[in-house]
Amino acid sequence: MAENLVIVESPAKAKTIAKFLGKQYEVRASMGHVRDLPKSKMGIDTENDFTPSYSIPADKRKTITELKGKIKANTNIWIATDEDREGEAIGWHLLEALKINPKKHDVKRIVFHEITKNAILKSIETPRDIDQSLVDAQQTRRILDRLVGYELSPLLWKKIRYGLSAGRVQSVAVRLIVEREREIEAFKPEEYWDLSGLFIGDAKEKFEAQLAYIKSKKAVIGNQKSSDEILKDLKGADYKVTKVEEKDAKRNPAPPFITSTLQQEASRKLGFSVKKTMMIAQQLYEGVDTGKETAGLITYMRTDSFNLSDLALAQAKTVIQNLYGKEYVNSSPRIYKKTKGAQEAHEAIRPTDLSVTPESIDKYLNKDQFRLYELIWKRTIACQMQEARLKNLIVEIESSIKGKGLPYVFKATGQTITFQGFMKVYVEGTDDEAEATIGPKEKLLPPLKEGESLKCEKLDSTQHFTKPPARYTEASLVKKLETEGIGRPSTYAPTIGTIIARGYVEKEQKVLKPTDTGMVVNDLLVEHFSQIVDYKFTANMEETLDKIAEGKVKWIPVLKEFYEPFHKNILEKEKSINRSDVVNEESDEVCEKCGNPMVIKLGRYGKFLSCSNYPDCKNAKPIVKEGAEEKSKMDKDLEKKLSGKKCDKCGEPMEIKTGRFGEFLGCSAYPKCKNIQAIVKFAGVSCPDCKEGQLIERRTRKAGKIFYGCNKFPKCKFATWDRPVEGKCTACGGMLVEKKEKIICNDCKAEQGALAAKKTKPPKESAKKTVKKIVKKSAKKK
């Protein structure tokens, strides 16, 4: 047995590191966190300094047993988890779960920014102790999130719908998306017109210029009438060049990648989701077999530092000179200012070896790995290259109209790249075309001189309307969260994933749009729990967590200051909030069946109109937004169930139709467009078997009977006939389901809410296993 046990999080990481160390080292994976707060209860003693009650999940007990078996009296233990707070906490939990006695065993903590042989061997030479301040910061975040989730979620169940949940950072992200949607809904487009002319001068080359000024004021054309009047004025006008201005300009490259900018750029240029970007970056970090060796190709991917090591800067200079020439090397290393709160001990995301070009390892990477590595490599190289040099040309053209002087001025702009510099390799993308930096394409103008007469070959006027603000994409949401100081590198991907999985936000192609449920939950939180979704409060809490990590602030007073007013507010709102005020809205509609007012209600799949005389009158119908259909077609459309989605083939609304096996989406333009889609209804519950998937509503092939299965099928084959609901059994921690209008445990069948009154004892471990086997056998028979 080896004298040294090195513990990391993942098997891939373990496999790579093992190749760098000798036989005296055995490298094992913990498979992530080995302890956490229990799922069946809050697990925090709020009356005794917020002491957490950690437990080892059932799926990690085998891992802990195996690791214990590797530890003998003389074994040296090396904690080699990731270098951030989460990694530090995993290391601390490992020692606690393994019951390691520092007096009996030599425990060392090692950290590294990259998984290369040099980095690993250097870390072995320079170990340290577990940083308790980092652990405390991670614990504080975990406890804060648990306090919010476990106290606020039950309130949402009572006041909106069972199974909903709230999160400290996630709710703020939902608020951003909801507020943007409200801006879009409130936006009123304004008409404006552009007027351009096609000119030709002595060089006999045609070029375009835009009307810029009218009587020395910026040209504003509000309607066609004004546009037609200008065109009438300019009929027969003479034109000459009155100004030719040439300016030299420079453009600097974007800094190297940090987590947020990598997520944004991979979304813009590669179409990757934030989650996918981090998954592929993890693969590149943990190690890839490149033929010669297995090693990490990039540095650690969760970072907020722009710092590059001296070794990387020196290597960048050599690579740039060899590949592009000496003239492309920057005169001195380009150093970027750190972001607020950045951990400068970390590095930016860069290739571990810049001499490894994307083309040289293409055959060892899959398509997505190659594209992300190429993006990181190009960005790193570009940030140390010479600036781009440009020439900007501005030309003004005045009209000469008999009896009217010179009221109209046209302007043309052109651009010439005189030296590409970093642009030879890379140009940063943008979410907003208006903010776009220049790319490799240039707009050239012919040679022109002041006083030169021009001929106008054509005048064109074009109608436009102002556009509402764009919905957030994953990239722009990450940018906004970072700008507001909300969250940290490790939280962006799970935050976005969570709000989509909970059904508060849906992703339509690239944009994020709030659901009706998301808007109702957000409105309740904004009105009654403003601090939880306040941008400044959330950002200040992140700064406080940073201070805890630095050892400047103690964590227990922070929790106490937050929890006492929060808990008091929960108790007050449980009494004062009326559920009907939250989920129901007044409408102008009148029930055509009984004449009573219709109200807008929130259902499982969004808002709908329902008769206020329910249950005597059960009339209900979908909500059709004003202007969505012509009045003559409206009555007919109301009989159909509109899904709120558009056909991805023709753009027409998709309808919820009923077929032999239940509801499905069909294009409203049928039979012209025959596009159909399955309706995926999430139960909003994580799969209890694989822990990765979500349970969704499905139907059997022959009879079309509804059941609930994991969306990771066929990888995971878990299924149940009963509708899952969010929460865990108070007796055994199992999954809850709805059966005959009762909430019961899918495993031990205990009815929820009756346990406390009857003082029922939790079933023994052996009984729970027996029940699970019976349920699984029953499911197979069905």
Side-chain angles (χ1 to χ4, degrees), residues 290-523:
T290 59
K292 297 179 181 178
E293 63 173 354
T294 299
L297 293 181
I298 64 170
T299 53
Y300 191 52
M301 63 283 162
R302 293 185 181 91
T303 177
D304 52 9
S305 171
F306 291 127
N307 187 40
L308 291 175
S309 68
D310 292 340
L311 182 64
L313 291 171
Q315 193 179 38
K317 181 178 180 180
T318 302
V319 171
I320 294 166
Q321 184 168 331
N322 290 342
L323 292 180
Y324 305 106
K326 192 174 181 180
E327 66 274 21
Y328 284 90
V329 178
N330 203 40
S331 55
S332 60
R334 191 177 278 109
I335 308 298
Y336 292 88
K337 292 181 180 179
K338 70 176 183 178
T339 56
K340 186 178 181 181
Q343 301 178 62
E344 285 303 285
H346 295 180
E347 272 198 80
I349 304 169
R350 63 167 176 83
T352 54
D353 184 353
L354 283 165
S355 67
V356 179
T357 63
E359 293 76 15
S360 68
I361 56 166
D362 186 5
K363 62 182 178 181
Y364 303 109
L365 305 178
N366 63 38
K367 182 181 177 181
D368 289 337
Q369 288 173 339
F370 172 79
R371 294 173 72 200
L372 192 66
Y373 180 78
E374 181 183 46
L375 194 72
I376 295 168
W377 185 88
K378 285 184 174 182
R379 176 90 164 211
T380 310
I381 289 293
C383 82
Q384 294 303 312
M385 293 177 75
Q386 275 279 6
E387 60 199 8
R389 294 192 286 274
L390 319 146
K391 280 193 180 295
N392 292 331
L393 187 64
I394 301 172
V395 176
E396 289 188 1
I397 303 159
E398 289 187 354
S399 64
S400 177
I401 307 168
K402 273 189 178 183
K404 293 190 178 181
L406 304 169
Y408 301 109
V409 177
F410 289 76
K411 181 186 282 188
T413 58
Q415 193 174 72
T416 306
I417 299 173
T418 57
F419 178 68
Q420 281 187 300
F422 73 90
M423 289 170 58
K424 190 176 182 70
V425 175
Y426 181 88
V427 178
E428 186 178 34
T430 180
D431 293 305
D432 187 347
E433 291 181 7
E435 298 176 359
T437 56
I438 61 163
K441 294 182 179 179
E442 305 172 71
K443 183 181 177 183
L444 300 175
L445 292 175
L448 296 165
K449 56 183 181 294
E450 290 184 7
E452 181 178 345
S453 295
L454 300 175
K455 179 184 177 183
C456 180
E457 293 206 338
K458 184 172 63 171
L459 288 173
D460 280 327
S461 61
T462 309
Q463 183 187 38
H464 301 279
F465 291 92
T466 54
K467 294 181 180 180
R471 289 190 177 103
Y472 286 108
T473 61
E474 289 195 13
S476 60
L477 181 61
V478 166
K479 185 177 181 179
K480 180 65 175 176
L481 290 170
E482 185 184 36
T483 301
E484 295 288 342
I486 299 166
R488 287 295 181 264
S490 62
T491 65
Y492 299 134
T495 294
I496 294 173
T498 298
I499 62 177
I500 293 174
R502 285 179 178 169
Y504 294 157
V505 172
E506 58 186 10
K507 193 173 179 182
E508 291 186 355
Q509 295 182 341
K510 285 189 174 184
V511 300
L512 300 172
K513 182 181 178 182
T515 62
D516 288 339
T517 301
M519 297 182 90
V520 170
V521 170
N522 174 76
D523 292 348

Side-chain angles (χ1 to χ4, degrees), residues 264-281:
Q264 292 167 51
E265 199 72 337
S267 175
R268 297 178 191 123
K269 293 195 170 183
L270 308 181
F272 288 178
S273 68
V274 169
K275 181 179 179 180
K276 182 175 181 178
T277 298
M278 297 310 290
M279 179 187 71
I280 298 168

